[in-house]
Amino acid sequence: MDPLVQLVSENGEFNRDQVDQFLSNDDVKKWGKEYKVVAIMGPQSSGKSTFLNAVFGTKFVEMNAAAGRSRTTKGVWMAQAPTIDNPVLVLDLEGNDGRERGEEDTAFEKQAALFAVAVADILVVNLWCHDIGREHGAGKPLLKTVLEVNLKLFDPRKTVLLFTIRDKTKTPLDCLAKLLTEDMNRIWDSIPKPPQLLDAKLTDFFDVKFAAMSHYEMLEADFLQDAADLCQRFAAPRDAEGALIQGASEAVPSGALRLHMERIWEQVKANKDLNLPAQKVMVATVRCEEMVRARLQDFHASPEWTTALAQASQLHLDHLGPTLWQLIGTQLAAYDDEAQFFDAAVREEKREELVVRMIAEMLVVFKQQLHVLHSSHLASFMDALAVQANSTAFATQAQALMSSSLSNFHASVLSCMPLPDKEHGESEEVGLEEWRLEERATTELLQKELSEHVTKLRAKLMEALVSAQCKALAEELHPALHSILEEANPKMWEEVRQLLQDLTTHHTAILSGLLEPFAPEEEEVIDFEERVEGHGREVVCGRVRDAAAGAVVRMREAFQSTFQRDEKGMPQLWGARADIPEAAKKAKLSAARVLALLTVSELDEDEESLVGGRQKGEFASGSSDSDSAPLPGQPGLVLHILQDLLTPRSSQENQSSASLGQPLWRGVPAERTFISPIKCRELWRQFQNEVEVFIQQAVSHQEAARRANSSGVPLWALAAMVILGFDEAMAMLYNPLYLVLAVAFVALAKGVYERLDVQAEMSLGLLPGLVALAPKLMPALVEFIQDTLQKGQQLAAEQAEIQRQANTVEPASNTSAPSPSPNSTAPVSEHSTVPSAPVAEGGLRQRTPHEDN
C-alpha cells in the first residue's frame, strides 16, 4: 500500500484509479467494518499536516517555514496510520480561508468539509487558542454551512467532533471547552432542520470532545507528548475508557469504501447550497432584484395592463400582442438604465428574470383570450356547418370549414402574443414556452371539438336518414304482415321472408343514395343496412309476437272457418249422416297449423326447406312414420305433436304431452321462440275448451235434424198411401192380423227413413236421390232390425232385473214384522175382510183363493 494517495484533486475530481490501487491490498478487504476514518479541517497553514504526522505517524507534506507561509495541502489526501495497530485511515483536507483561492472561490473548502463530516468517524477541528471566541477565525460560518447541508443531504449518524486547541495558554481547557460547546449549540439551534429533526439536539448526532496541544516550535517535547497521549485515545478500543469512539461501528464494509466515498463526493459536488457568491455578486443580486420588483410594480399599475386584465375574459382584444410587448419594452428600458453599472452576468440574469416574470403575469390574460377565441371560433364553425347540413357534399364542405377555422384561430392567437419586432435583440422564445404549450393545447382541443362536432352532426344526420327509412319500412310492413298473418297459410313464413327481403332491399338502396353526401365508410354502410334489416326483423317478430298473444282467437277462427264451412265456403248443414268427429278433427288440425306457425320464428330458414317430403307444417292426419317427423325447432314440430294428441294412441299421446311440458323447444334459441312448449299446451287446452261449444252445437243441430226428419210423413207419401192403399187399408181394418203387420211395417219404414236421411238425399233431386238411396237400403234395414232386437233384449233384461229386485225386497219386509201371540186376537179393522196370506218356505208369499179369483 502506498503511504499517501490524493483522494480528491484541487479541481474537485475524485481519483478513482489511485484510490482503487490504494485500497486493493488484501489486508484492507479483511478489515470489514473494524476500521476508523479520521479527518481534519481548519484554516490554511494552521499545522494540520504536522498534527497528523505527529499523532498517527503519517508522511503528509508539511509547510516549509523558511520558504514562507503558503498552501501546502491541495485537495484531499489519504493515508493509513502506521503507529496504530487497529486500521485507521487519515484524511488531510486542504485548509480553508486561503489566499490562493481568494474570496470568490469558497465552494471547495465547503465541499471538502462536508465530505469529511459525511465519511469520517472522527472529525478533528484544528484551531488556534487565540481564535476561540472569534466568528470567522474559529470557522463558525463554515461549520454552520456544513452542518446545515449535512442534514439535507445525508442521514445523520453519530460522529465524534474533536476540537484540537493549538498553542494552549494558561486558560483552563474546561473553560475553553465550555465556550466552544455554547457556540456549537448556538450554531445547531440556528440552522433549519427537517420536520422529523425539529426536536433533535446536537448531542444526538455529534459527540463533542476536546484536546489541547502545546506550541510546536516553543515546546516541541510537550507537543510530541500531547500527540502521543492523543494517539493512545485514537487507538483505544471502542468501548474502552477514554476512547474517542464509543458504541458499535456504523462504517460501510471496507470492500465498498471507495464506492461509498465516490458517491458521497458526487452528492457534495452536485449540491448548490455550498456555492455562495462573492460580495460584489451578492450586492448586484440584491440591487437587481429590487429593480425587478420595482419594474413589476410599475407594470401592474400601468393602465394598459389593468384594461387588458379587465377585458380579456369578455371579448377579443385585437391588438393585445403589440400592447403587451410595448409594456415589456418600457419596463426593460427602465431596468437597463438603472442596472447598467452592476455585474454584467447578474444584470443579464435578472433582466431575463424580469422578462420571464412579466410574461408569466401576462399568461393569465393570454389564457383568457384563448378561451374567448376558442369559444367564438367554435360557435362560428357550428353556425357555418349548420348551413351546410343539407349540402350535397357535406363531408368536403365540413373539412374545408375546419381548415379555415383552425387557420383563423391560429392567426388570432398570434395577435395576442407579445412577439418582438425584428430590430429588437430579444429572443422571441424567452418566457414564451408555456405560451406555446397553451396555444398548442388549445389548438388541439379546438381541433378535437371541431372534429367531434362534425362527427356528431354527421352521425345525427345519417341517423335521421336511417330512422326515416326504418319508419318507412315499418309502415309498409304492417299492412302486408297483417294480411299474411290473418291468412296464416302453410307458406306464411316463406311469404314473410320474401316480403321482408323485397322491402329491405328497396329501402337500403334508397338509404345508400341518401348517404352519399356524407362519404360514409363501407363498414358504416354495412352497419346501416344491417340496422334497417334488423329493424324490419324486429317489426316482423313484434307483429308475430302480438299475433301469438292472441293465438287462441286465431285458432278459433281457423277452426270455425274449417268446421262451419263446406268445401264451397257455404255454411255447413249437419245432416243425419254428417261425420262431426272427423270434421272437428280436421278443423282442429287447421287450428294446430296456425299455432305451429306462431310458435317459432322462421326468418332464418331456407325457403325450399322440406321435412320428410312434406312442406313445413303439413303432415297427414294420424301419420306415425318416423321419417316424416319434423326436425326440432321447425313449425311442423308443434303440428306433429298436436296431431299425435289428436290420434287415439296412448303411447304417442304420452310422448307428445311430455314434449309440451318442456320450458324450451329442443334446439331452438329462446330469442326465436314466441310460444314456449308449456304455453303452447295451455293455449291448446284453452282452445279445446272453447271449440267444444261449437262441436256440441253441431251435434245438437244434427239431433234436431234427425228429429225433424222423424216428426212427420211427407205429404206426397200420405197421398200415395191414400190413393194406392185404400183397398188394403179397408181390408186391414176388417182383419186384425193385417193391422198388426201394417203397424210393424210403418215402424220399420220410419226407422229406415231416419237412417237413410231421405230428406237430405232428395234435396239433390229425385233421380240422384233414388240412385244414392238404392245401395244404402239393405244395410239400413239390417241395421234397424239389429238395433230393434238389441233394444228388445235390453228391455227384457231390465224387466227381469226389476222383478228380481222386487222379489228380493218383499220377503225381507214380511220377516221384519212382529208375530202375534197365540192367545191374543189381532184387532181387525172394519174394512179388513181379507185374511193375510200364509208365507211359504223360502220367503215367497202364497196367493190366497181370494187373490186368485
Side-chain angles (χ1 to χ4, degrees):
M1 179 183 295
D2 295 335
L4 295 174
V5 63
Q6 190 178 32
L7 190 66
V8 180
S9 69
E10 60 181 315
N11 297 324
E13 301 296 331
F14 190 87
N15 297 321
R16 178 186 301 178
D17 297 336
Q18 296 182 22
V19 175
D20 277 339
Q21 185 178 0
F22 181 83
L23 298 176
S24 62
N25 192 301
D26 294 338
D27 294 336
V28 175
K29 297 179 180 179
K30 296 179 181 179
W31 292 351
K33 293 186 177 182
E34 298 300 325
Y35 67 93
K36 303 174 185 176
V37 177
V38 179
I40 189 170
M41 61 175 288
Q44 181 176 303
S45 302
S46 62
K48 298 187 298 300
S49 300
T50 303
F51 172 81
L52 294 177
N53 292 338
V55 175
F56 298 104
T58 54
K59 302 297 181 181
F60 292 113
V61 179
E62 300 179 7
M63 183 187 69
N64 186 0
R69 304 183 70 83
S70 62
R71 181 176 62 176
T72 303
T73 304
K74 299 177 181 180
V76 180
W77 289 78
M78 181 172 64
Q80 183 179 0
T83 59
I84 300 178
D85 295 336
N86 297 327
V88 175
L89 293 176
V90 183
L91 304 182
D92 188 10
L93 276 62
E94 178 180 326
N96 57 285
D97 198 18
R99 58 181 293 275
E100 287 79 7
R101 292 190 180 270
E103 65 171 349
E104 296 184 3
D105 190 7
T106 60
F108 183 80
E109 64 184 38
K110 298 182 182 68
Q111 293 173 351
L114 179 59
F115 176 74
V117 172
V119 301
D121 298 300
I122 303 174
L123 177 62
V124 180
V125 181
N126 190 62
L127 72 163
W128 285 301
C129 181
H130 56 266
D131 283 337
I132 297 177
R134 298 175 180 175
E135 189 69 20
H136 291 280
K140 293 179 183 178
L142 178 61
L143 281 174
K144 180 179 179 181
T145 302
V146 169
L147 293 180
E148 178 180 347
V149 177
N150 181 59
L151 290 179
K152 294 180 181 179
L153 289 184
F154 308 107
D155 294 332
R157 62 190 184 94
K158 198 65 175 287
T159 303
V160 176
L161 194 61
L162 176 62
F163 286 91
T164 57
I165 304 172
R166 303 292 296 275
D167 302 345
K168 62 183 178 179
T169 62
K170 293 181 181 180
T171 304
L173 180 62
D174 293 341
C175 294
L176 299 175
K178 180 179 180 182
L179 184 61
L180 289 173
T181 302
E182 291 177 355
D183 291 342
M184 289 302 299
N185 287 328
R186 190 179 300 111
I187 291 173
W188 178 261
D189 294 338
S190 65
I191 62 175
K193 305 176 184 65
Q196 65 273 19
L197 300 177
L198 291 178
D199 298 331
K201 299 180 180 179
L202 176 68
T203 55
D204 294 337
F205 304 107
F206 295 97
D207 190 3
V208 183
K209 298 182 181 297
F210 305 92
M213 303 293 293
S214 300
H215 199 286
Y216 175 68
E217 294 180 352
M218 297 180 180
L219 300 171
E220 183 176 0
D222 294 340
F223 177 83
L224 295 176
Q225 183 59 43
D226 293 339
D229 295 341
L230 191 59
C231 180
Q232 295 298 323
R233 295 178 65 186
F234 277 106
R238 290 181 177 273
D239 297 329
E241 183 178 358
L244 291 175
I245 300 180
Q246 303 291 331
S249 174
E250 298 181 6
V252 298
S254 58
L257 182 59
R258 192 272 302 167
L259 180 62
H260 174 64
M261 290 183 174
E262 185 177 8
R263 293 289 182 267
I264 290 179
W265 180 251
E266 290 176 355
Q267 288 182 269
V268 169
K269 282 191 66 177
N271 185 262
K272 303 300 181 182
D273 294 338
L274 301 176
N275 298 328
L276 299 179
Q279 182 68 22
K280 65 178 182 178
V281 175
M282 294 179 62
V283 172
T285 301
V286 172
R287 285 294 296 124
C288 290
E289 287 179 352
E290 292 177 353
M291 298 175 193
V292 168
R293 287 194 292 270
R295 293 302 96 214
L296 289 175
Q297 291 178 357
D298 188 45
F299 166 75
H300 290 152
S302 62
E304 296 86 357
W305 171 248
T306 55
T307 302
L309 193 62
Q311 298 179 353
S313 61
Q314 301 175 2
L315 50 87
H316 171 49
L317 304 177
D318 295 333
H319 304 288
L320 178 63
T323 302
L324 295 179
W325 178 248
Q326 184 179 1
L327 285 173
I328 294 175
T330 301
Q331 302 305 325
L332 287 179
Y335 173 84
D336 292 339
D337 185 59
E338 295 179 13
Q340 58 181 330
F341 299 108
F342 290 97
D343 184 77
V346 176
R347 183 178 68 245
E348 293 300 323
E349 178 185 354
K350 297 304 177 181
R351 188 179 192 276
E352 183 175 345
E353 179 183 344
L354 175 61
V355 174
V356 171
R357 292 181 65 177
M358 285 191 293
I359 290 181
E361 295 279 351
M362 297 173 180
L363 182 61
V364 177
V365 175
F366 180 68
K367 288 182 178 180
Q368 294 174 347
Q369 280 291 281
L370 283 179
H371 179 71
V372 172
L373 292 174
H374 170 268
S375 301
S376 62
H377 282 76
L378 181 60
S380 300
F381 174 80
M382 290 181 178
D383 295 338
L385 187 63
V387 177
Q388 302 295 331
N390 298 323
S391 174
T392 55
F394 176 84
T396 305
Q397 294 293 335
Q399 189 63 35
L401 287 175
M402 281 184 60
S403 301
S404 175
S405 180
L406 290 174
S407 178
N408 295 335
F409 176 77
H410 180 69
S412 300
V413 170
L414 290 179
S415 68
C416 297
M417 298 181 68
L419 302 177
D421 297 332
K422 293 183 178 180
E423 62 267 15
H424 291 82
E426 299 296 334
S427 174
E428 179 183 350
E429 295 298 329
V430 173
L432 294 181
E433 293 81 4
E434 191 170 355
W435 292 56
R436 298 292 185 187
L437 293 176
E438 290 292 336
E439 176 198 6
R440 189 178 301 112
T442 307
T443 303
E444 292 176 355
L445 177 61
L446 178 61
Q447 184 176 7
K448 178 183 177 182
E449 291 181 348
L450 294 180
S451 300
E452 289 179 351
H453 181 70
V454 171
T455 302
K456 290 181 180 178
L457 181 59
R458 175 176 175 271
K460 180 180 179 181
L461 296 174
M462 291 194 297
E463 181 68 24
L465 295 176
V466 175
S467 300
Q469 293 304 312
C470 289
K471 183 178 179 181
L473 175 62
E475 291 176 354
E476 293 186 29
L477 276 174
H478 280 300
L481 286 175
H482 179 76
S483 176
I484 294 175
L485 293 176
E486 285 294 329
E487 187 177 354
N489 60 56
K491 294 184 178 181
M492 183 190 79
W493 282 108
E494 180 180 346
E495 296 177 359
V496 170
R497 285 194 298 270
Q498 187 62 45
L499 173 66
L500 179 61
Q501 180 180 358
D502 295 342
L503 292 180
T504 301
T505 302
H506 173 67
H507 285 281
T508 51
I510 296 176
L511 180 62
S512 299
L514 296 175
L515 292 176
E516 288 182 1
F518 301 94
E521 300 290 338
E522 183 178 358
E523 293 78 6
E524 291 180 311
V525 175
I526 295 175
D527 179 64
F528 290 149
E529 292 179 352
E530 290 178 352
R531 286 181 55 187
V532 173
E533 181 180 359
H535 183 74
R537 294 173 65 91
E538 291 178 0
V539 172
V540 170
C541 292
R543 294 289 295 176
V544 176
R545 199 176 299 277
D546 293 340
V552 174
V553 176
R554 296 177 180 273
M555 293 165 63
R556 186 174 64 247
E557 292 175 354
F559 176 85
Q560 291 177 324
S561 177
T562 304
F563 187 70
Q564 296 181 348
R565 298 284 178 176
D566 57 14
E567 290 79 358
K568 298 179 180 180
M570 300 299 292
Q572 182 71 45
L573 297 177
W574 301 110
R577 297 191 58 217
D579 192 352
I580 295 179
E582 185 62 27
K585 185 175 182 179
K586 182 179 178 182
K588 288 182 179 180
L589 186 60
S590 299
R593 182 178 291 107
V594 173
L595 179 61
L597 291 172
L598 299 177
T599 300
V600 177
S601 171
E602 289 299 319
L603 284 177
D604 297 327
E605 294 293 327
D606 296 333
E607 296 179 0
E608 301 298 330
S609 176
L610 299 177
V611 180
R614 300 180 178 89
Q615 194 167 2
K616 293 178 184 179
E618 295 183 354
F619 296 91
S621 176
S623 175
S624 61
D625 188 2
S626 60
D627 294 336
S628 64
L631 299 177
Q634 297 174 338
L637 175 62
V638 180
L639 183 59
H640 186 70
I641 293 174
L642 297 177
Q643 280 182 295
D644 289 345
L645 293 177
L646 294 173
T647 303
R649 286 176 290 187
S650 59
S651 61
Q652 289 185 356
E653 185 176 357
N654 294 336
Q655 182 178 1
S656 301
S657 299
S659 300
L660 292 177
Q662 301 298 323
L664 293 174
W665 298 107
R666 182 166 55 88
V668 181
E671 58 271 13
R672 286 183 53 195
T673 302
F674 299 131
I675 304 175
S676 65
I678 297 177
K679 185 65 176 180
C680 184
R681 181 174 59 184
E682 294 177 0
L683 295 177
W684 183 252
R685 290 176 177 175
Q686 181 181 353
F687 160 75
Q688 285 187 317
N689 293 334
E690 292 185 7
V691 301
E692 192 66 28
V693 177
F694 301 110
I695 299 175
Q696 292 294 337
Q697 290 177 354
V699 173
S700 300
H701 291 166
Q702 187 180 54
E703 292 294 333
R706 288 178 178 176
R707 287 194 298 270
N709 292 337
S710 61
S711 60
V713 180
L715 295 177
W716 61 268
L718 292 176
M721 290 175 60
V722 172
I723 297 172
L724 300 177
F726 180 78
D727 296 335
E728 286 80 3
M730 296 303 295
M732 185 172 52
L733 291 176
Y734 290 100
N735 193 338
L737 179 60
Y738 288 162
L739 182 59
V740 172
L741 291 176
V743 172
F745 177 79
V746 170
L748 178 62
K750 180 181 178 181
V752 173
Y753 181 88
E754 292 177 353
R755 291 183 180 277
L756 289 178
D757 197 5
V758 176
Q759 186 176 1
E761 296 293 345
M762 288 298 179
S763 63
L764 300 177
L766 179 59
L767 184 59
L770 294 177
V771 173
L773 291 174
K776 301 177 182 179
L777 180 60
M778 289 305 296
L781 180 60
V782 173
E783 184 180 359
F784 175 77
I785 294 173
Q786 291 177 350
D787 290 343
T788 303
L789 294 176
Q790 185 176 1
K791 290 181 180 180
Q793 293 175 357
Q794 291 178 356
L795 182 61
E798 291 176 359
Q799 292 296 329
E801 181 64 19
I802 293 173
Q803 184 64 33
R804 185 185 67 80
Q805 292 179 358
N807 294 336
T808 303
V809 172
E810 186 175 0
S813 60
N814 293 334
T815 56
S816 61
S819 59
S821 174
N823 298 324
S824 62
T825 303
V828 179
S829 174
E830 60 181 354
H831 300 288
S832 300
T833 57
V834 180
S836 298
V839 179
E841 185 179 359
L844 296 177
R845 186 174 62 89
Q846 295 180 0
R847 295 176 62 89
T848 60
H850 177 74
E851 290 175 339
D852 292 338
N853 295 332

